[in-house]
Amino acid sequence: MLLELSGLTSHYGRIQALKGIDIDIAEGELVALVGANGAGKTTLLRCLSGVQPVSGGTIRFDGQDITRAQPEIRVGLGISQSPEGRQVFGPMSVEDNLRLGAYRRHGPDVAADLERMYDLFPILRRKRREAAGTLSGGQQQMLAIARALMSAPRLLLLDEPSMGLAPLLVAEIFDIIQSLKAAGTTIFLVEQNAQAALKVADRGYVLETGTVVLADRGERLLADERVREAYLGL
Amino acid sequence: MFAEFLQYLFSGLTSGAIYALAGLGFAIIYNASNVINFAQGEFIMIGGMTAASLVAAGTPLWLAVALALVVAMLVGIALERLAIEPARDSDVVTIVIITIGASIFLRGAAQVIWDKEFHSLPAFSGETPIALSGATLMPQSLWVIGSSALAIAALWWFFNRTLFGKAMLATSHNRLAAQLVGIGVKRVLLASFALSALLGAVAGVVVTPITFTSYESGIMLGLKGFSAAVLGGLGSGLGAIVGGLIVGLVEALASGYLSSAYKDAIAFIIILFVLFFMPSGLFGRRGTDRV
Ligand SMILES: Nc1ncnc2c1ncn2[C@@H]1O[C@H](COP(=O)(O)OP(=O)(O)OP(=O)(O)O)[C@@H](O)[C@H]1O
Ligand SMILES: [Mg+2]
């Protein structure tokens, strides 16, 4: 397993946001995590990146215990996140945002990867000199994903990449996610858009108020009565 | 008439350059941590005092200057490590109060290590005034203005052309995103204190031949740097520079045409004016144009 979570808990003050999460992700898998508002999806990804304190349980990455590792160590090991709300470096240029995505890496590969990102997201090439904050929501989302990819991650964490985007853009983002998977990237995808996420995912987990209530193959979850009722509005 | 004005202009630009450096020190630490470091003036004092005492002990000027910059940087690093870092999880107000405590401590330490007297440095290239359209300019003023310009250019290069500089800027724009791309924000904070201390020491070393220095001289210089930073908009590099020059010029013109009794009051008046009427300063808070 590339990522193993066991009994992971996390608190905001006295509020417990994660109540013992067990999740495994194998190399090359695309795993979706779906759940309603406030279920704890973002909290879980923040724990994985080391920007949210873990109060119990363990995170193992590639066999190594990283539960208490600093965020920059995790990026160095290969965990990269495109966070909820994009969080681009607004006043800085698109290209600077991408270069900073490769902050932990050095050497000629970085320049080559920059070109690769521009091929993957042509709009970013056209806007490379512009301030990231001036991009549209969809463009910023692409930038956030590309910035996360610039660290050449072994595990890519995506937090609601389709949030607030027009349907056409949503489709485009999911196409990109699928092509990343096809290229061998391991992806942990958090979405409120359960339909789209489960359709592309190998496996999925359903999170409810800090607890995993369902875990199965993507298409099986899509067909599941409880999922259809609660998350797909069917 | 014009000669008089020119004279005030020279004097205003000279002190303005110093305030700009001090203001930049505030801006850099503010950007890294949202903390206003009230020990910024003490970095200026430590730079000046260290160089002055080394020269008095027979060290060549260039070596004394270099050592003074290093000493100030080490003090900045120690301040961050020993006083700021342990309180990192406290709220900003607490940390600001810690920096006030640190400034008092540093003044006390300076008084013990050195004394309560004024100290000076020889002017770097003599004391022969340069005559210009009826006004005179001291060569040391050119050193002050030149060194400040050079420091600002180096700073611009650092923040715009080096990856670590960009990482420091990125951290000020979005701390969470900075952590997520693997920037060690602790190291950024440490670097911001080292850099601010270095800037302060540059200011302290070049200004000491003109103004002399004592254990207390950081108080006023720090305050004026603070008013420069507030006037320019806290966190804006360009704002700190413009703010510093304005504070210096207004101060020189007011003490020239009105009364020198007003000199030190100008900085206070500017701080109050800005806080009341334009709290985000000349260049706002989140500009794209910072140094
Ligand atoms: N900074 C915070 N302080 C206190 N409580 C928080 C904080 N952030 C989140 N929470 C709480 O933790 C719980 C989980 O929030 P989280 O943001 O992880 O949910 P989510 O599944 O990502 O929701 P969404 O779909 O809206 O993004 C919620 O009850 C939320 O109110
Ligand atoms: Mg969320």
Side-chain angles (χ1 to χ4, degrees):
Chain A
M1 284 294 147
L2 185 60
L3 181 74
E4 296 163 84
L5 308 181
S6 59
L8 197 72
T9 64
S10 184
H11 289 75
Y12 291 103
R14 246 184 286 153
I15 303 165
Q16 183 165 16
L18 298 178
K19 300 170 180 162
I21 305 285
D22 301 298
I23 286 179
D24 289 332
I25 298 178
E27 194 112 40
E29 266 193 313
L30 168 46
V31 174
L33 178 69
V34 300
N37 261 331
K41 306 181 295 295
T42 297
T43 305
L44 179 58
L45 288 198
R46 288 170 56 90
C47 287
L48 294 183
S49 285
V51 293
Q52 160 75 20
V54 167
S55 50
T58 57
I59 306 172
R60 298 181 76 81
F61 183 71
D62 205 14
Q64 192 179 343
D65 187 337
I66 57 159
T67 317
R68 308 261 168 254
Q70 292 295 316
E72 63 268 24
I73 301 295
R74 302 181 197 216
V75 175
L77 288 173
I79 301 178
S80 186
Q81 179 173 170
S82 161
E84 185 174 67
R86 293 127 202 179
Q87 313 285 347
V88 297
F89 301 118
M92 304 181 84
S93 73
V94 166
E95 184 145 316
D96 277 349
N97 271 264
L98 292 174
R99 286 221 172 275
L100 286 165
Y103 183 70
R104 307 286 310 175
R105 298 168 62 206
H106 301 282
D109 294 359
V110 173
D113 273 0
L114 193 59
E115 282 309 309
R116 232 163 42 81
M117 288 311 131
Y118 286 145
D119 292 340
L120 196 57
F121 305 97
I123 184 72
L124 296 184
R125 188 196 302 278
R126 249 175 292 146
K127 305 228 165 189
R128 64 203 290 175
R129 309 242 168 271
E130 279 168 50
T134 64
L135 302 188
S136 73
Q139 293 162 355
Q140 287 192 20
Q141 186 60 62
M142 292 179 193
L143 178 57
I145 295 174
R147 183 181 64 186
L149 286 169
M150 281 299 289
S151 69
R154 300 184 58 195
L155 172 64
L156 176 64
L157 310 173
L158 298 175
D159 197 347
E160 309 231 17
S162 75
M163 189 168 59
L165 300 188
L168 251 161
L169 270 173
V170 173
E172 191 176 335
I173 295 278
F174 275 95
D175 281 349
I176 287 162
I177 292 171
Q178 272 180 300
S179 63
L180 289 174
K181 173 188 161 48
T185 314
T186 311
I187 301 171
F188 192 26
L189 169 65
V190 161
E191 264 297 339
Q192 276 197 48
N193 187 343
Q195 171 89 36
L198 293 173
K199 220 153 88 189
V200 297
D202 298 313
R203 292 188 300 117
Y205 291 88
V206 178
L207 195 64
E208 255 172 34
T209 54
T211 311
V212 171
V213 291
L214 282 171
D216 210 330
R217 303 206 53 80
E219 67 268 23
R220 300 255 305 264
L221 283 178
L222 264 180
D224 189 289
E225 223 23 73
R226 290 163 292 180
V227 175
R228 291 170 70 83
E229 213 168 290
Y231 302 106
L232 306 179
L234 300 172
Chain B
M1 205 46 217
F2 177 70
E4 197 181 41
F5 176 75
L6 202 61
Q7 195 63 57
Y8 299 147
L9 201 66
F10 289 157
S11 128
L13 281 179
T14 307
S15 33
I18 295 297
Y19 305 159
L21 288 189
L24 279 170
F26 279 101
I28 290 168
I29 290 178
Y30 181 79
N31 276 338
S33 61
N34 281 329
V35 165
I36 296 163
N37 169 35
F38 280 107
Q40 186 62 35
E42 273 53 50
F43 295 149
I44 304 178
M45 176 272 286
I46 288 168
M49 290 294 274
T50 307
S53 60
L54 285 173
V55 165
T59 317
L61 182 63
W62 66 269
L63 184 61
V65 168
L67 287 173
L69 302 188
V70 171
V71 166
M73 268 175 97
L74 291 178
V75 170
I77 288 171
L79 172 62
E80 197 278 340
R81 268 290 139 86
L82 302 177
I84 309 297
E85 177 63 32
R88 203 163 50 102
D89 294 329
S90 318
D91 56 279
V92 166
V93 176
T94 308
I95 301 180
V96 170
I97 290 169
I98 290 176
T99 71
I100 295 174
S103 75
I104 295 169
F105 171 81
L106 289 173
R107 281 201 292 280
Q111 196 184 327
V112 171
I113 294 171
W114 294 293
D115 48 35
K116 289 180 158 186
E117 308 302 317
F118 277 94
H119 298 260
S120 185
L121 277 173
F124 294 4
S125 28
E127 313 251 7
T128 319
I130 303 161
L132 258 177
S133 315
T136 56
L137 185 60
M138 296 305 286
Q140 192 62 29
S141 287
L142 289 178
W143 272 100
V144 170
I145 295 167
S147 311
S148 304
L150 202 67
I152 288 166
L155 216 52
W156 183 91
W157 175 82
F158 174 71
F159 281 119
N160 290 282
R161 290 288 179 270
T162 71
L163 190 61
F164 187 64
K166 286 179 183 180
M168 286 184 73
L169 269 191
T171 306
S172 76
H173 296 318
N174 192 324
R175 192 181 180 78
L176 170 67
Q179 288 179 297
L180 290 179
V181 297
I183 296 168
V185 295
K186 267 190 198 178
R187 193 189 283 190
V188 165
L189 190 58
L190 190 63
S192 75
F193 272 83
L195 201 55
S196 297
L198 176 64
L199 282 180
V202 169
V205 162
V206 292
V207 81
T208 294
I210 299 176
T211 60
F212 300 175
T213 181
S214 80
Y215 76 105
E216 275 187 327
S217 42
I219 301 178
M220 266 306 160
L221 288 170
L223 193 92
K224 289 174 184 171
F226 178 61
S227 67
V230 168
L231 174 61
L234 262 175
S236 160
L238 180 61
I241 297 165
V242 174
L245 292 177
I246 293 178
V247 174
L249 285 171
V250 172
E251 201 179 82
L253 294 174
S255 51
Y257 288 117
L258 303 173
S259 151
S260 59
Y262 294 121
K263 183 167 179 280
D264 287 335
I266 294 295
F268 286 101
I269 293 169
I270 288 179
I271 291 177
L272 291 178
F273 178 85
V274 172
L275 292 182
F276 276 121
F277 297 109
M278 40 189 271
S280 59
L282 293 173
F283 292 87
R285 232 221 91 175
R286 288 285 172 212
T288 51
D289 49 13
R290 55 187 73 190
V291 158

